[in-house]
């Protein structure tokens, strides 16, 4: 097997099998896919699955993937979304080259095809009010009823349709419907709407149109125009496939694409409905589409999630045909795995407790060599200042430690990472009895963190030099929803987690963190992965926690292995 085909087999799934079979049987000469977002919101982690699939298979099979905006509903679409979507697809690592398209590029052609259906007696203008039309469509057990306009003569249909285009009628006055089968078991074939009147300016076509095609009428024909070979979409479109095919069968399209469906991504504790995400933004439940708690690509990026981790995650969940819900811990796991390999290690104290090293000379300081990434020798080392006054994590000290607490306690010796062994000599409290300072001594012979006499300590702790540290705010994020299945019992807003952000404002960071770049995560030793927030650009350092170190998913897997 060639290296290339070995790689293809490695990530095999039913979509790739279909494509390989089509290529082998010469049903298509090359693979052409498309990612078709509607520009009515930002892309989220669910879209990432579709992007990785569409662009991924095109790459793997030497074909191409188009970015096509499904811009058929100007009432909800905006240029800002078009821009954000392009930025986010690029960020994820994909490139459509010069294959950027819009359903609106085809409005003229689609309109001409609609007239063609009218001329062929396969479409009619219906004046039935929308509410009534809905009830007349019947149910799964009852056939639909014919509209009194169903048998309108061709000439009258054509005249009315042209006048619809000319702007003679108000919104909702009439629609164009395909004439298919009112008794069909598939509701989508019960004379679906092809065009509706909408006197709304379009981000691209301006006021040229006042009637717009429906998704169903635009999608397959756009695929055919672009000579898409494999039109990959989510399962909810399975029932639309007969309609997709009906249009292609009944119109003189230049090519014959095929639609295949795969399972949508669902994640626990996460909402991936654009309608709900829009509501969260509009009503200020989050700070914007790029709020680090949002499942949007912009939010993940701001939180410090690297695009490689998103791609790794999509690869790990695989491409199935059956719907399922993925544990959000699996996403965090992918982020952590990737960052563990690439993130620089730094020291930061989130809840500082002051430590004074009594036998360290006042005014003196020194620099200690620290490894940047134990997983990557090429990341090198850095120098971290040490001095008489330090901060350690408040949680790393207990005055009356229980049996299994191995960190600092009165009289106990611990290691400060890459620095010295210190021993706690005295605990200083304020009037309220809270510990506010520790007086310690250090052993100068343990420089670098090892005792020449081989004596051991039970804990290694992170620290920063008080005089050299950078003050920062660190934002810890918790799931935006309190339920694994937000909205399951009704109102999704009532499942919002009131404590999804915890802002710690008195944090202290080692000086090297002044060079950290916005969006690039580093590991704060023993705490997790963090990256500077764009809010830092106003001067004061603000960091976001990308993900903690505790790996819930690894535990789930380990428990599964133990049970097998
Ligand atoms: P809506 O159509 O309700 O506005 P949508 O999430 O389907 O929302 P689109 O912009 O139409 O938004 O989606 C673009 C593409 O991404 C579609 O092909 C869709 O099937 C796919 N997609 C959307 N959500 C998911 C998801 N959760 N998992 C996988 N693919 C998805
Ligand atoms: Mg959609």
């Amino acid at each position: 097997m060639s290296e290339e085909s070995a790689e293809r087999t490695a990530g095999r799934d039913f979509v790739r099998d279909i494509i390989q079979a089509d290529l082998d049987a010469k049903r298509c000469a090359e693979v052409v896919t498309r990612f078709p977002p509607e520009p009515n919101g930002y892309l989220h982690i669910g879209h990432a699955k579709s992007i990785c699939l569409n662009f991924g298979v095109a790459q793997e099979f030497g074909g191409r993937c188009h970015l096509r905006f499904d811009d058929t509903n100007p009432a909800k679409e905006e240029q800002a979304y078009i821009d954000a979507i392009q930025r986010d697809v690029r960020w994820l690592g994909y490139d459509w080259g010069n294959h950027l398209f819009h359903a609106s590029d085809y409005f003229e052609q689609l309109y001409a095809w609609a007239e063609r259906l009218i001329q062929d007696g396969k479409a009619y203008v219906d004046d039935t009010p929308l509410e009534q039309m809905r009830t007349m469509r019947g149910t799964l057990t009852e056939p639909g009823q014919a509209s009194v306009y169903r048998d309108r003569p061709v000439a009258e249909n054509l005249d009315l349709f042209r006048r619809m285009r000319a702007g003679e009628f108000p919104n909702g006055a009439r629609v164009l419907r395909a004439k298919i089968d009112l008794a069909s078991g598939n509701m989508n074939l019960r004379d679906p709407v092809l065009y509706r009147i909408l006197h709304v300016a379009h981000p691209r076509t301006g006021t040229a149109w006042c009637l717009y095609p429906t998704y169903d009428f635009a999608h397959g024909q756009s695929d055919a125009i672009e000579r898409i070979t494999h039109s990959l979409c989510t399962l909810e479109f399975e029932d639309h496939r007969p309609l997709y095919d009906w249009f292609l069968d009944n119109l003189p399209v230049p090519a014959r694409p095929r639609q295949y469906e795969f399972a949508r991504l669902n994640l626990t504790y996460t909402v991936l409905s654009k309608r709900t995400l829009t509501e969260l933004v509009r009503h200020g439940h989050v700070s914007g589409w790029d709020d680090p708690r949002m499942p949007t690509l912009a939010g993940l990026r701001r939180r410090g999630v690297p695009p490689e981790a998103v791609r790794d995650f999509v690869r790990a969940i695989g491409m199935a045909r059956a719907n399922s819900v993925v544990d959000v811990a699996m996403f965090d796991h992918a982020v952590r795995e990737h960052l563990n390999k690439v993130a620089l290690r730094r020291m930061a104290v989130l809840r500082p407790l002051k430590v004074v090293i009594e036998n360290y000379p006042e005014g003196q300081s020194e620099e200690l060599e620290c490894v940047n990434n134990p997983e990557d020798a090429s990341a090198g080392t850095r120098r971290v200042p040490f001095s008489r006054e330090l901060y350690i994590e408040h949680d790393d000290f207990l005055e009356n430690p229980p049996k299994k607490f191995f960190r600092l306690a009165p009289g106990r010796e611990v290691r400060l990472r890459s620095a010295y062994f210190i021993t706690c000599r005295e605990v200083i409290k304020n009037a309220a009895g809270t510990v506010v300072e520790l007086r310690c001594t250090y052993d100068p012979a343990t420089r670098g963190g090892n005792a020449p006499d081989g004596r051991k300590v039970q804990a290694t702790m992170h620290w920063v030099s008080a005089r050299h540290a950078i003050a920062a705010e660190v934002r810890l994020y918790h799931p935006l929803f309190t339920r694994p299945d937000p909205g399951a019992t009704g109102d999704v807003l009532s499942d919002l987690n009131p404590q999804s952000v915890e802002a710690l404002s008195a944090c202290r960071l080692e000086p090297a963190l002044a060079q950290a770049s916005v969006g690039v995560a580093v590991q704060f030793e023993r705490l997790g992965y963090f990256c500077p927030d764009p809010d830092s650009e106003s001067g004061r350092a603000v960091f976001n926690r990308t993900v903690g170190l505790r790996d819930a998913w690894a535990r789930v897997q380990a428990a599964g292995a133990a049970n097998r």
Side-chain angles (χ1 to χ4, degrees):
M1 206 187 312
S2 74
E3 221 170 87
E4 192 192 5
S5 55
E7 198 169 289
R8 275 187 205 167
T9 326
R12 253 311 153 53
D13 53 56
F14 79 96
V15 175
R16 288 164 169 92
D17 287 344
I18 289 169
I19 292 176
Q20 186 65 63
D22 286 346
L23 287 170
D24 290 346
K26 306 220 177 330
R27 278 189 289 270
C28 59
E30 62 170 344
V31 177
V32 187
T33 56
R34 87 287 168 263
F35 172 64
E38 181 179 356
N40 62 352
Y42 274 51
L43 297 178
H44 54 58
I45 181 79
H47 294 118
K49 179 178 179 181
S50 177
I51 296 168
C52 292
L53 175 66
N54 281 294
F55 282 93
V57 297
Q59 250 166 27
E60 288 157 43
F61 291 95
R64 63 174 195 270
C65 180
H66 298 181
L67 176 62
R68 183 199 315 141
F69 287 101
D70 168 25
D71 54 352
T72 52
N73 184 6
K76 289 192 184 159
E77 296 160 7
E78 288 173 25
Q79 186 60 41
Y81 294 140
I82 295 182
D83 298 340
I85 288 170
Q86 297 193 39
R87 190 162 65 233
D88 291 346
V89 174
R90 282 213 184 86
W91 173 76
L92 198 52
Y94 297 104
D95 186 3
W96 50 92
N98 49 9
H99 305 289
L100 174 64
F101 302 104
H102 306 81
S104 57
D105 298 338
Y106 315 129
F107 279 174
E108 256 329 317
Q109 175 66 81
L110 292 168
Y111 178 85
W113 279 336
E115 285 206 352
R116 168 77 178 239
L117 288 179
I118 294 173
Q119 259 144 358
D120 292 346
K122 292 172 184 167
Y124 60 99
V125 173
D126 194 348
D127 308 354
T128 310
L130 282 178
E131 251 329 290
Q132 198 183 335
M133 201 185 300
R134 208 161 291 143
T135 57
M136 286 174 68
R137 278 180 84 208
T139 63
L140 283 176
T141 50
E142 273 172 62
Q145 296 164 355
S147 151
V148 293
Y149 305 102
R150 196 170 197 257
D151 291 317
R152 249 179 180 150
V154 168
E156 191 182 326
N157 280 320
L158 213 47
D159 174 61
L160 284 171
F161 190 48
R162 287 178 180 164
R163 289 166 59 197
M164 281 166 69
R165 177 177 185 172
E168 287 187 28
F169 312 115
N171 290 353
R174 28 175 70 94
V175 295
L176 183 72
R177 297 176 76 178
K179 196 174 193 176
I180 308 181
D181 179 4
L182 289 170
S184 173
N186 184 336
M187 301 294 280
N188 294 301
L189 295 180
R190 294 189 185 176
D191 290 11
V193 172
L194 309 186
Y195 273 90
R196 65 254 195 246
I197 299 174
L198 204 56
H199 289 269
V200 171
H202 185 282
R204 290 184 38 93
T205 58
T207 52
W209 295 88
C210 62
L211 81 176
Y212 292 95
T214 53
Y215 167 87
D216 283 318
F217 190 64
H219 204 82
Q221 287 85 292
S222 301
D223 284 345
I225 293 169
E226 293 176 21
R227 297 180 184 272
I228 301 301
T229 55
H230 298 79
S231 183
L232 309 170
C233 62
T234 36
L235 275 175
E236 69 271 22
F237 292 103
E238 192 171 10
D239 286 349
H240 294 242
R241 183 161 19 101
L243 180 56
Y244 181 98
D245 289 334
W246 188 90
F247 290 127
L248 299 181
D249 287 340
N250 288 280
L251 288 170
V253 290
R256 186 58 209 241
R258 297 193 76 83
Q259 173 182 306
Y260 300 94
E261 305 87 19
F262 62 93
R264 229 182 151 75
L265 171 65
N266 300 297
L267 270 185
T268 57
Y269 296 96
T270 309
V271 163
L272 296 180
S273 140
K274 267 200 276 191
R275 196 179 49 75
T276 307
L277 295 178
T278 306
E279 201 173 324
L280 295 179
V281 173
R282 290 247 165 90
H283 297 134
H285 298 293
V286 293
S287 64
W289 284 99
D290 70 344
D291 186 303
R293 294 165 294 174
M294 290 281 272
T296 51
L297 298 185
L300 296 177
R301 173 170 61 232
R302 181 166 176 182
R303 213 174 85 195
V305 171
E308 295 87 345
V310 177
R311 298 200 302 264
D312 290 348
F313 169 68
V314 169
R315 204 171 304 128
I317 57 176
M319 201 54 65
R321 227 192 290 243
N323 275 322
S324 65
V325 182
V326 175
D327 190 332
V328 72
M330 195 175 163
F331 177 70
D332 291 344
H333 175 74
V335 176
R336 206 177 278 120
E337 288 272 292
H338 181 77
L339 290 177
N340 181 46
K341 284 182 269 173
V342 302
L344 298 176
R345 272 51 171 179
R346 295 291 183 255
M347 289 195 283
V349 173
L350 300 188
R351 297 171 180 88
L353 174 58
K354 189 169 179 185
V355 167
V356 177
I357 312 287
E358 292 184 314
N359 58 338
Y360 196 91
E362 302 222 19
Q364 184 176 311
S365 71
E366 66 189 295
E367 289 193 323
L368 296 159
E369 183 123 334
C370 294
V371 170
N372 278 332
N373 184 355
E375 302 284 319
D376 175 11
S378 73
T381 60
R382 71 190 183 285
R383 302 174 77 82
V384 181
F386 183 90
S387 64
R388 180 180 158 91
E389 293 194 1
L390 311 170
Y391 289 115
I392 63 166
E393 209 66 64
H394 223 296
D395 291 356
D396 280 340
F397 173 81
L398 274 184
E399 192 174 14
N400 300 299
K403 245 195 154 105
K404 288 199 173 153
F405 184 88
F406 298 119
R407 293 166 273 164
L408 199 57
R412 189 180 286 175
E413 186 173 50
V414 298
R415 174 190 293 111
L416 294 182
R417 164 89 81 209
S418 306
Y420 294 100
F421 286 12
I422 60 163
T423 304
C424 177
R425 303 293 174 188
E426 191 189 345
V427 179
I428 298 178
K429 296 179 189 175
N430 63 14
T434 308
V435 177
V436 291
E437 184 181 314
L438 302 176
R439 310 293 291 194
C440 299
T441 55
Y442 84 122
D443 176 357
T446 57
R447 192 170 196 274
N450 291 304
D453 62 4
R455 76 179 187 277
K456 300 276 181 240
V457 285
Q458 301 260 41
T460 300
M461 296 169 11
H462 61 276
W463 53 275
V464 296
S465 163
R467 182 148 55 89
H468 302 90
I470 304 167
E473 175 182 324
V474 174
R475 298 171 184 162
L476 307 182
Y477 298 103
H478 303 289
L480 193 48
F481 294 94
T482 52
R483 294 176 58 95
D485 51 355
T489 56
D491 178 18
V492 68
L493 295 182
S494 67
D495 295 332
L496 272 170
N497 179 1
Q499 264 121 31
S500 52
V501 190
E502 202 181 328
L504 305 174
S505 56
C507 310
R508 294 287 185 277
L509 318 178
E510 69 161 275
L513 283 166
Q515 270 88 54
S517 315
V518 166
V520 178
V522 297
Q523 187 189 96
F524 287 0
E525 297 220 27
R526 302 176 63 229
L527 298 172
Y529 296 94
F530 296 78
C531 80
D533 187 85
D535 285 354
S536 297
E537 280 155 4
S538 60
R540 172 178 165 71
V542 179
F543 277 69
N544 296 321
R545 181 167 68 188
T546 311
V547 65
L549 286 181
R550 240 177 28 144
D551 194 330
W553 180 247
R555 278 205 307 275
V556 170
Q557 280 182 313
N563 291 337
R564 273 197 291 274

